[in-house]
Amino acid sequence: MPLLAPRPLHAANAGLLPRSASAGGPGPRRRVPPPSRARVRVSNSDPPQQQVNLSVLRFTLGIPGLDESYLPRWIGLGFGAFVVLNHLLSPSPTPAQLRSEALGLCLAAFSATLPFLGRFLEGADAASRVPLPEGSRQVFVMSENLSAAQKEDVAWASYVLLRNTNTTSVLIAIGDVFCVRGYWDPPANTSKYAMIEWFKSQMQQVGLVDLRDTLYFPNSSDSQLAKILPDGVLSVYVQPVLRSPDLANGEAKTEGVILLASNANYAYTDKDRFWIRTVANKFRSS
């Protein structure tokens, strides 16, 4: 049986080959850059995305009305109750069981006291705090003419100051950046713009516009600062933001201030004040 001869290439299959091969001649070729290189160049030309700092995020279960800071206390009380119930249901506990139950009760007691121990180590005594007055309300306003990056920076700075220090009220006024967050007593039924203007006028009256030195009142607020502060404030800390000194005369001009208020006596330790200065330096221009 004869072998099949190779079939010639028909014109129908010529479309599957490159145009230079189907034409039969060498012909000039146009080099098409690989699509992968084009994609790499486009990705390199894109501006780098800003990384979000997630170190200040707080774990939460999302249950309304539940304070997660007391979660170790409820866990310790629950497991302690189970240990006691197990002891009562045991007809004749062995020495090994008694030792295990004693260790379990010690761990449960430690877990129950952990929230109070944490607050003690933070430096604020819960007994020194006073309840916030009924007239105070939570406020969060900032300047409208800020860029998206500035709004993000101010929002995170005010959040970490409230979260990581014993602070109930924050005011950031640095150049065009203005933010008020926390518990304040502004005039009722005012718009955001009118509220910001009210705070600016109060700052001019109490002399916080051109402040150069740090102010700290650990156990009572100053009589002049009381005009802008809400009722029930026991500690006030004002950190000025100074520009880098001028090379000609060595003078450092004031760019703004960060005001923190707390309803606890001696609310800000040396470590807190150092950390607040570090946050304030983030807004300092060269």
Side-chain angles (χ1 to χ4, degrees):
M1 186 173 179
L3 297 175
L4 296 177
R7 298 176 60 185
L9 183 65
H10 295 285
N13 297 331
L16 301 177
L17 297 177
R19 186 174 296 176
S20 60
S22 61
R29 294 185 179 180
R30 292 185 304 170
R31 296 184 63 183
V32 179
S36 60
R37 292 182 181 177
R39 286 194 295 267
V40 171
R41 290 177 182 176
V42 172
S43 62
N44 291 336
S45 61
D46 294 339
Q49 296 181 354
Q50 184 180 4
Q51 295 183 356
V52 180
N53 183 15
L54 302 179
S55 60
V56 295
L57 289 180
R58 180 184 178 186
F59 171 76
T60 176
L61 297 176
I63 303 176
L66 176 63
D67 189 359
E68 288 82 5
S69 61
Y70 286 97
L71 194 59
R73 177 184 180 183
W74 304 119
I75 293 177
L77 292 177
F79 279 98
F82 281 123
V83 171
V84 174
L85 182 62
N86 179 72
H87 178 77
L88 295 177
L89 295 179
S90 300
S92 56
T94 61
Q97 180 181 348
L98 293 177
R99 289 193 296 267
S100 300
E101 291 175 349
L103 179 60
L105 290 176
C106 292
L107 294 176
F110 175 76
S111 179
T113 57
L114 191 60
F116 304 101
L117 180 63
R119 294 195 176 187
F120 174 76
L121 294 178
E122 285 178 0
D125 187 7
S128 64
R129 293 179 178 268
V130 297
L132 292 170
E134 297 181 357
S136 300
R137 55 193 178 96
Q138 289 197 33
V139 176
F140 184 25
V141 294
M142 66 175 62
S143 304
E144 296 292 339
N145 57 347
L146 301 179
S147 63
Q150 287 177 324
K151 290 182 179 180
E152 182 181 356
D153 292 340
V154 173
W156 275 98
S158 59
Y159 171 77
V160 297
L161 288 173
L162 288 170
R163 175 66 183 87
N164 296 345
T165 62
N166 302 310
T167 301
T168 56
S169 309
V170 175
L171 188 148
I172 301 175
I174 306 170
D176 297 333
V177 176
F178 199 93
C179 176
V180 180
R181 192 169 185 175
Y183 287 94
W184 293 92
D185 294 335
N189 301 325
T190 56
S191 61
K192 291 184 178 180
Y193 176 78
M195 189 180 301
I196 291 177
E197 293 299 321
W198 180 83
F199 276 103
K200 289 182 178 180
S201 65
Q202 294 295 319
M203 289 181 60
Q204 291 180 354
Q205 293 180 11
V206 300
L208 294 179
V209 177
D210 195 15
L211 184 67
R212 294 177 178 270
D213 298 326
T214 301
L215 300 179
Y216 181 36
F217 303 97
N219 55 0
S220 63
S221 61
D222 186 69
S223 59
Q224 295 182 352
L225 292 179
K227 299 178 182 179
I228 191 174
L229 296 174
D231 296 334
V233 169
L234 298 180
S235 297
V236 181
Y237 185 79
V238 184
Q239 175 64 49
V241 180
L242 302 178
R243 189 177 300 176
S244 299
D246 192 359
L247 298 178
N249 51 15
E251 230 178 277
K253 295 184 178 180
T254 303
E255 294 188 0
V257 296
I258 295 180
L259 185 147
L260 306 177
S262 175
N263 63 333
N265 287 318
Y266 298 92
Y268 304 105
T269 60
D270 294 337
K271 184 177 70 173
D272 293 333
R273 283 175 279 175
F274 175 79
W275 189 78
I276 293 168
R277 286 194 298 269
T278 304
V279 174
N281 290 335
K282 298 293 184 180
F283 294 94
R284 186 178 64 180
S285 61
S286 56

